[in-house]
Amino acid sequence: MILVAIGANLSTPAIGSPRDACERALTCLTGADVVVVARSRWYRSAPVPRSDQPDYINGVVSVSSGRAPAALLALLHDIEADLGRTRDRINEPRVIDLDLLAYGDQVVGWPVSPLSGHETEQARAVGLTLPHPRLHDRAFVLLPLRDIAPDWRHPVSGQDIDAMIRANSNGSTP
């Protein structure tokens, strides 16, 4: 199962609302020969870390693709750029944010202490960590992920979705 998180919190004249941007990103994915197998409902969540920026719209999709993980991540970054995403500062508001959460059970770039959230040299070298290193800490990812894959388990920790959701709470609501 290939999992992709989608989020946005900025409106633009060209695209519209953050929800419109999320929908547009889905259209771009399918136009690039990526098949959306399942999609969550949209969730509204506060920015993490908390700030005065607008709330986010978030969702998760399960996709099918013949692309290797690094090529799929490159496609996600290309779609972000096409939709107007800039990467000037960490944790800045976003027109669109696409994260490759998991690619089957592949584990790439994880540190010796799996849930420390720090990338290894291997991850920095290829620009990819799988599963996403902060997936387990983000209710705005876990809640929509539970919509489409309630039995999914983290390939490193072995935790199920409900255990990860219980372990954290950062204000996400459907």
Side-chain angles (χ1 to χ4, degrees):
M1 179 178 302
I2 303 170
L3 300 168
V4 176
I6 301 172
N9 75 333
L10 292 179
S11 296
T12 67
I15 297 172
S17 71
R19 184 174 179 157
D20 294 335
C22 293
E23 293 287 349
R24 176 82 63 90
L26 286 174
T27 300
C28 292
L29 277 172
T30 58
D33 295 326
V34 174
V35 176
V36 175
V37 177
R39 63 182 274 188
S40 71
R41 57 190 159 155
W42 296 119
Y43 285 72
R44 179 176 301 278
S45 63
V48 176
R50 292 236 183 238
S51 71
D52 61 354
Q53 31 176 304
D55 284 351
Y56 278 81
I57 298 298
N58 297 100
V60 172
V61 294
S62 171
V63 301
S64 174
S65 174
R67 296 170 191 260
L72 182 56
L73 181 63
L75 172 65
L76 298 178
H77 288 170
D78 288 347
I79 291 170
E80 289 178 334
D82 290 347
L83 295 179
R85 164 109 189 243
T86 59
R87 294 176 182 268
D88 298 326
R89 295 175 289 136
I90 190 165
N91 298 322
E92 67 186 345
R94 295 171 176 95
V95 170
I96 193 69
D97 186 24
L98 301 172
D99 288 328
L100 183 56
L101 299 175
Y103 196 102
D105 288 333
Q106 289 190 37
V107 176
V108 176
W110 271 81
V112 174
S113 174
L115 297 180
S116 73
H118 299 293
E119 295 176 319
T120 63
E121 289 297 320
Q122 175 194 13
R124 282 190 292 276
V126 299
L128 177 67
T129 301
L130 289 172
H132 190 285
R134 289 170 302 283
L135 174 158
H136 62 282
D137 286 332
R138 295 177 166 173
F140 64 86
V141 169
L142 295 170
L143 292 171
L145 178 54
R146 182 173 57 187
D147 284 353
I148 63 169
D151 298 327
W152 187 81
R153 289 188 166 275
H154 195 287
V156 174
S157 71
Q159 286 186 304
D160 65 30
I161 299 274
D162 289 331
M164 290 183 278
I165 289 171
R166 281 190 304 273
N168 72 82
S169 170
N170 52 11
S172 294
T173 57

